[in-house]
Amino acid sequence: MIEQYKLDTQRLYLEMFLNDAETFSRCQSIFEPDNFDQKLRETAKFIKEHADEHKVLPTIDQIRAVTGVDLKPVPDLTEMHYEWFMTEFENFTKKQELERALRELARLNPHAKNVGGIWKNPLNPRSRGRRWDSSQLELFRKFQKEYATNEAQN
């Protein structure tokens, strides 16, 4: 499993989607442009909007013309490559969504001190809670510091 989803990895995800429309179709429900690095976000957004509106993926030339990002075809991909891709893209999506949720929670609660063992969803009164692991709590605290610092500067 990949630990760090670097720019090149995210670029490869977009290139693999363009190679196989069926794979994009299978992942469309979890494909979120905001999960991609800022340098690829507009490209991911263009791909999603084009596919939604025209029911076909854009060409590499269209992407280059509209976004300025030069994606390349990935030759000789097998079914095993796509099995790897499906697993890794799902893991990427989960990690990015969790990070965005923690960032938003920190933004809404930059000074909360009693966040720890279990977090309950404030939008769902029947929420039984979710246990935080140490890496999630550490990431939340990091985001809290960022928002508190930004708040103090403004």
Side-chain angles (χ1 to χ4, degrees):
M1 184 169 103
I2 297 174
E3 295 294 321
Q4 293 281 328
Y5 295 95
K6 297 178 182 169
L7 186 65
D8 287 341
T9 304
Q10 294 178 36
R11 179 184 299 273
L12 177 63
Y13 291 162
L14 295 177
E15 291 169 343
M16 289 182 78
F17 276 133
L18 294 175
N19 263 21
D20 186 44
E22 182 181 330
T23 298
F24 180 79
S25 177
R26 289 173 57 191
C27 293
Q28 202 165 7
S29 64
I30 64 169
F31 185 90
E32 177 55 57
D34 288 339
N35 288 344
F36 286 86
D37 185 275
Q38 193 170 8
K39 293 176 182 173
L40 294 173
R41 201 166 292 150
E42 285 303 312
T43 303
K45 184 177 177 186
F46 175 69
I47 291 169
K48 183 173 180 64
E49 288 174 354
H50 190 282
D52 289 347
E53 187 174 330
H54 302 288
K55 307 298 183 227
V56 66
L57 289 170
T59 66
I60 289 174
D61 291 333
Q62 286 174 304
I63 292 169
R64 185 181 316 110
V66 172
T67 69
V69 173
D70 190 22
L71 298 177
K72 298 183 178 12
V74 184
D76 305 322
L77 293 176
T78 67
E79 192 63 36
M80 296 302 290
H81 291 110
Y82 280 103
E83 285 182 29
W84 168 86
F85 171 76
M86 296 295 284
T87 300
E88 289 302 328
F89 189 73
E90 182 180 2
N91 291 336
F92 164 74
T93 300
K94 286 178 184 177
K95 183 177 188 284
Q96 297 303 100
E97 291 290 333
L98 175 62
E99 188 172 312
R100 285 189 321 139
L102 290 173
R103 186 178 296 277
E104 179 64 11
L105 188 60
R107 186 186 69 76
L108 295 172
N109 303 287
H111 304 291
K113 300 281 186 227
N114 60 350
V115 176
I118 296 179
W119 174 74
K120 292 188 178 190
N121 183 345
L123 302 177
N124 181 357
R126 295 186 302 182
S127 171
R128 297 180 66 158
R130 181 185 194 292
R131 185 158 298 283
W132 293 47
D133 65 31
S134 61
S135 65
Q136 293 167 343
L137 187 57
E138 185 178 315
L139 191 58
F140 174 75
R141 293 284 186 221
K142 175 186 163 214
F143 294 149
Q144 264 190 320
K145 286 177 188 171
E146 287 175 13
Y147 287 113
T149 301
N150 290 342
E151 192 176 86
Q153 291 174 353
N154 292 333

